[in-house]
Amino acid sequence: MFNLIKMDFYRMLHSVSTWVILAITVVLAVFAVSMTETDIQAMTEDPQYANEQQGEVDGNEDRMIGISTTANPEWVDGDIEAGELISTQVSSGLLVLLCVIFTAMFASAEQKNGYVKNIAGQLPNRGMLALSKLAVLAVQLCFLLAVFALVTALTGALLWGGRFYLGSVFSLLRFLGVQYLLHLGFASVILFLSILSRSSAFSMVVGLLAGMGTLVPIYSMVNKLVYDIQPDWKFDISKFTLDGNVLMASIGAAPGTMVRAAVVGGVFLAVCALLSMAVMQKRDIR
């Protein structure tokens, strides 16, 4: 198993896509913070726009289709906390898209270059192939999340100077830990779909659609169906989905919300890891 992980790490480090995704992560972090500054300037010039933005912040658990970030109107005149800024950018789903793209490309690349076929016959348990890839993805995701958060904070410090401050380190680390589990859950889903379909395009499209909130209408239909059956039950299926919890698990979320999000991420990770191993073990390697 250790040798498998070493080989997958070698493939990751020598893959062009790894460094391209890392570069895109840096660019997106800078771009997102720059757009936040543009948003703040717009609110400064237009109080009505600031009121509209305040309404979006107050109702930030309502998921919309697409990727968007909402600057806090309090940032117009007040100080800006690093943790809140990072939370705003990560919860928008930007990092989910990068996670989906990299996972799909990394998981499917070996199907094209013959790597699996050459090594599978030497393994008593081919399911370890899936587990080793997931281990490498976990390290890569940790690195991407750290880089995204660091570049976001540095860009914020350059733009706002003394108005920008660190805040609670514990709250920030708690937020990043929960989001890491959720994003790793996303990666495990994409890994499973890539192994099952043998297609990076299919798994990537599914992941991108989910990450951009296009499943919201389906969630609404499910919620309405449950409400019609049991009106007294305040059921919301998005509370048990990865994309829903990425949005809701902000740095200021209640402890119960953060615990639920961590559990959802862990459950998706465990289930998809087991399914990926099972498919890899049963399938004939081509």
Side-chain angles (χ1 to χ4, degrees):
M1 181 62 186
F2 180 70
N3 288 334
L4 278 178
I5 294 177
K6 282 178 59 179
M7 285 187 288
D8 276 326
F9 264 117
Y10 181 86
R11 286 199 309 118
M12 182 191 72
L13 292 175
H14 289 78
S15 173
V16 175
S17 62
T18 300
W19 303 105
V20 170
I21 290 293
L22 180 61
I24 293 175
T25 300
V26 173
V27 171
L28 276 182
V30 174
F31 175 77
V33 178
S34 300
M35 289 299 98
T36 298
E37 168 62 11
T38 301
D39 225 18
I40 292 174
Q41 292 298 326
M43 286 188 286
T44 302
E45 299 169 1
D46 185 357
Q48 178 60 34
Y49 178 62
N51 291 334
E52 293 174 359
Q53 292 295 85
Q54 184 63 56
E56 290 188 23
V57 171
D58 293 340
N60 63 358
E61 290 190 3
D62 296 328
R63 181 70 190 271
M64 297 182 296
I65 295 177
I67 299 296
S68 63
T69 60
T70 303
N72 191 333
E74 295 178 0
W75 295 346
V76 173
D77 299 315
D79 293 337
I80 302 172
E81 184 187 358
E84 189 177 354
L85 177 66
I86 294 170
S87 172
T88 300
Q89 309 306 334
V90 174
S91 298
S92 70
L94 275 174
L95 204 58
V96 168
L97 303 188
L98 297 177
C99 173
V100 166
I101 293 170
F102 177 77
T103 301
M105 294 175 65
F106 179 73
S108 301
E110 63 183 25
Q111 300 288 343
K112 301 176 183 178
N113 60 24
Y115 168 81
V116 172
K117 186 176 181 180
N118 291 333
I119 198 172
Q122 306 174 32
L123 297 175
N125 183 2
R126 292 201 301 265
M128 293 296 103
L129 288 168
L131 198 59
S132 68
K133 280 192 284 293
L134 188 57
V136 173
L137 289 171
V139 174
Q140 171 70 357
L141 176 58
C142 183
F143 189 58
L144 286 181
L145 183 59
V147 168
F148 187 85
L150 181 60
V151 174
T152 297
L154 290 175
T155 307
L158 289 174
L159 286 176
W160 298 302
R163 293 176 55 205
F164 191 75
Y165 69 102
L166 179 58
S168 172
V169 175
F170 172 77
S171 295
L172 178 58
L173 292 177
R174 182 189 68 164
F175 165 76
L176 292 175
V178 171
Q179 287 289 347
Y180 174 75
L181 273 176
L182 290 169
H183 283 71
L184 188 56
F186 252 109
S188 66
V189 172
I190 302 305
L191 175 63
F192 168 64
L193 293 176
S194 297
I195 293 174
L196 183 67
S197 65
R198 300 181 190 265
S199 169
S200 60
F202 171 76
S203 56
M204 193 180 299
V205 168
V206 172
L208 292 177
L209 289 176
M212 295 180 68
T214 55
L215 298 180
V216 169
I218 298 177
Y219 298 160
S220 297
M221 288 189 292
V222 173
N223 291 339
K224 185 178 183 303
L225 179 62
V226 174
Y227 178 80
D228 291 340
I229 297 173
Q230 184 56 263
D232 296 330
W233 189 15
K234 295 181 180 180
F235 178 78
D236 184 2
I237 193 174
S238 64
K239 292 181 178 180
F240 307 99
T241 63
L242 291 170
D243 54 315
N245 278 282
V246 166
L247 174 69
M248 289 183 276
S250 63
I251 196 167
T257 299
M258 301 300 279
V259 170
R260 185 191 66 232
V263 170
V264 169
V267 168
F268 270 90
L269 171 61
V271 171
C272 289
L274 291 174
L275 289 175
S276 298
M277 293 175 65
V279 171
M280 188 67 79
Q281 178 65 26
K282 297 293 184 181
R283 168 175 290 166
D284 292 332
I285 303 297
R286 297 201 298 264

